[in-house]
Amino acid sequence: MEKITAITLVKKYKKLIMKHLLKFCLLFIAVQIASSGIAKAQLITLPRGGNKKASVSEQIGITNAIIHYSRPGVKKREGHIWGELIPVGFSELGYGAKKPAPWRAGANENTTIEFTTDVKVEGQDLPAGRYGFFIAYYPDECILIFSKNSTSWGNFFYDPGEDALRIKVKPVKTDYSTEWLEYRFTDQTPSSATIKLQWEKLTIPFKIDVDVIQTQLASFRKELRGDKALPESWQPWNQAAAFCAINKANLEEGLMWADSATSRTFGGLLAFNAWQTKAALLDSLGRKAEADEVMKKALPLADDIQGYTYAYSLVLLKRTKEAFDIFKMMYDKYPNTLFTNIGMASGYSALGDFKTALSFAQKALPQAKGGNKIEIERNIRDLKDNKDMNY
């Protein structure tokens, strides 16, 4: 009987070994690369499975919403994505945590969503932070899951005990197909947006709402405790106070900020804008007499543009005599400028003296350019037709 040795085995199966040697070598190399990657950083390569990495972000108010994900393709599997490739509900993966897990809402690594301030998702509170994002797909109603664990690979280590929020939304079928999964921001308003996951012929939408006023005020409070509140820096204080005045919110604290803006310490003692903001806050607080007194002291600090802007706002409030007196004061201080000429035209027009108003508008016309010139030409046409140019 022939003695079997390693050498005789090699000779016997030489052809077979040579035939598959290349495959063996490639497999060996692949195993080496995979195992070495555990201990050492790998080189940059194309994403696994051709699933493109992507990110999308948008600002809602001053809140940044940022999504990082990978984009699987349909790849001729239309009609076999939802309910097949993406299983219904939670599924046993047989790896990692070995618990029923939802879909990773993308491919490869964990899909993550980050909000830089507190938000509401479909009306439910979600604190600022970075979350792992998962979806349990059902044909009639999907469960969206925001997990406190945003660093694990995919959904293999999903743990329901780490859920920060679960919400239910209805998926929407589309009559068109999206080849590569994508997230989009739609239906934007100043305080909200809808995020839509779109893939194949399905959209999964969810709405994000932000309390713009409160998030902005919180940001102001934080910044005004830092290097934005340096001596001789009245502008940040005025910016915060003006926000309160415009939105008629947080008026008492806004007035404190206005006091800082107009103080000698922060350099706004001679700043007309800062005093005007303070007067607006006082007026909103029902302290009109104090507001008027502040403006009387502030007007000598105004330049011709600031004086015109303030006086014109009084015209729109039907405080015609007060407005005319300020237009006249500005004209005496800054005679024959574009804004004092058109200011006098506005003042006389408000009083019903269209002839005198026309003479000042005609003086302003050659001083104007671009949009200002077009507007003054309209003013002149109105005055020639004996119409008030201010409305």
Side-chain angles (χ1 to χ4, degrees):
M1 183 175 178
E2 182 183 358
K3 185 179 181 181
I4 298 175
T5 65
I7 293 174
T8 58
L9 282 172
V10 169
K11 286 180 178 179
K12 187 174 182 179
Y13 296 103
K14 182 177 180 181
K15 289 183 179 180
L16 181 64
I17 292 172
M18 291 303 293
K19 182 178 180 181
H20 297 286
L21 180 60
L22 179 59
K23 291 182 180 179
F24 290 154
C25 289
L26 290 175
L27 178 61
F28 178 69
I29 291 170
V31 171
Q32 276 193 319
I33 290 173
S35 61
S36 65
I38 297 173
K40 298 180 180 179
Q42 296 185 34
L43 298 177
I44 296 173
T45 60
L46 292 173
R48 181 183 175 188
N51 302 314
K52 307 176 182 200
K53 286 189 175 183
S55 63
V56 62
S57 64
E58 186 151 312
Q59 197 172 60
I60 308 170
I62 62 168
T63 301
N64 293 320
I66 308 156
I67 306 172
H68 290 280
Y69 65 107
S70 292
R71 305 180 65 190
V74 175
K75 300 178 182 177
K76 300 181 181 179
R77 296 174 292 186
E78 192 168 294
H80 300 283
I81 299 294
W82 302 103
E84 294 184 34
L85 180 66
I86 307 304
V88 173
F90 296 77
S91 58
E92 295 280 356
L93 302 175
Y95 180 76
K98 296 184 179 179
K99 295 179 180 180
W103 175 46
R104 70 188 80 182
N108 297 355
E109 300 172 29
N110 212 358
T111 296
T112 64
I113 298 184
E114 181 179 357
F115 301 105
T116 55
T117 73
D118 297 350
V119 300
K120 286 183 181 293
V121 183
E122 290 292 322
Q124 297 190 45
D125 292 328
L126 183 66
R130 188 169 187 246
Y131 298 93
F133 183 58
F134 303 94
I135 297 176
Y137 164 74
Y138 294 94
D140 298 322
E141 191 172 58
C142 295
I143 301 173
L144 310 189
I145 302 169
F146 297 82
S147 172
K148 297 173 186 176
N149 184 346
S150 65
T151 58
S152 293
W153 177 270
N155 54 348
F156 296 117
F157 299 94
Y158 170 75
D159 183 348
E162 296 173 327
D163 290 356
L165 176 67
R166 285 190 178 198
I167 60 170
K168 294 181 179 180
V169 299
K170 293 189 177 299
V172 180
K173 293 181 179 180
T174 63
D175 56 3
Y176 58 90
S177 184
T178 300
E179 173 64 26
W180 296 97
L181 182 148
E182 68 174 341
Y183 286 87
R184 298 177 57 203
F185 289 85
T186 65
D187 305 322
Q188 293 91 338
T189 74
S191 62
S192 68
T194 296
I195 298 174
K196 291 182 178 179
L197 180 156
Q198 294 185 190
W199 194 28
E200 201 232 19
K201 291 188 173 182
L202 198 73
T203 296
I204 302 176
F206 54 101
K207 187 179 180 183
I208 308 299
D209 286 284
V210 175
D211 188 332
V212 173
I213 299 294
Q214 293 305 316
T215 55
Q216 182 66 84
L217 291 173
S219 177
F220 285 151
R221 292 181 188 117
K222 182 178 179 180
E223 290 190 281
L224 291 173
R225 294 177 64 186
D227 59 4
K228 299 290 179 69
L230 298 174
E232 305 300 318
S233 299
W234 62 270
Q235 291 91 342
W237 295 99
N238 184 62
Q239 185 180 6
F243 178 85
C244 297
I246 292 168
N247 291 282
K248 297 190 183 301
N250 196 46
L251 297 176
E252 291 290 355
E253 188 174 18
L255 185 58
M256 290 173 57
W257 290 337
D259 286 338
S260 294
T262 54
S263 69
R264 188 179 301 277
T265 300
F266 291 103
L269 195 61
L270 301 178
F272 172 78
N273 287 343
W275 289 104
Q276 185 179 15
T277 298
K278 182 173 181 176
L281 288 163
L282 288 167
D283 189 69
S284 293
L285 286 165
R287 296 157 63 177
K288 187 177 182 306
E290 292 177 71
D292 290 343
E293 191 62 30
V294 166
M295 285 310 301
K296 285 179 183 179
K297 293 179 179 179
L299 278 169
L301 304 174
D303 60 25
D304 57 339
I305 299 175
Q306 293 168 332
Y308 165 79
T309 302
Y310 176 64
Y312 189 71
S313 71
L314 296 179
V315 170
L316 298 179
L317 293 172
K318 306 293 186 181
R319 293 165 62 176
T320 306
K321 181 62 170 62
E322 291 176 70
F324 182 83
D325 289 344
I326 295 170
F327 283 135
K328 182 65 168 63
M329 182 178 75
M330 290 294 108
Y331 187 84
D332 291 341
K333 187 176 180 181
Y334 304 101
N336 199 33
T337 71
L338 169 62
F339 285 96
T340 56
N341 279 328
I342 200 62
M344 291 299 288
S346 292
Y348 276 112
S349 179
L351 292 173
D353 187 347
F354 300 138
K355 182 177 179 180
T356 306
L358 178 60
S359 67
F360 279 102
Q362 289 170 330
K363 288 173 65 177
L365 184 61
Q367 298 172 319
K369 295 179 181 180
N372 285 335
K373 186 171 185 178
I374 293 172
E375 182 62 20
I376 292 173
E377 287 172 341
R378 184 191 67 78
N379 295 155
I380 289 173
R381 289 195 297 272
D382 286 342
L383 292 169
K384 285 182 176 180
D385 292 337
N386 290 319
K387 296 179 181 178
D388 187 354
M389 62 173 273
N390 295 302
Y391 303 100

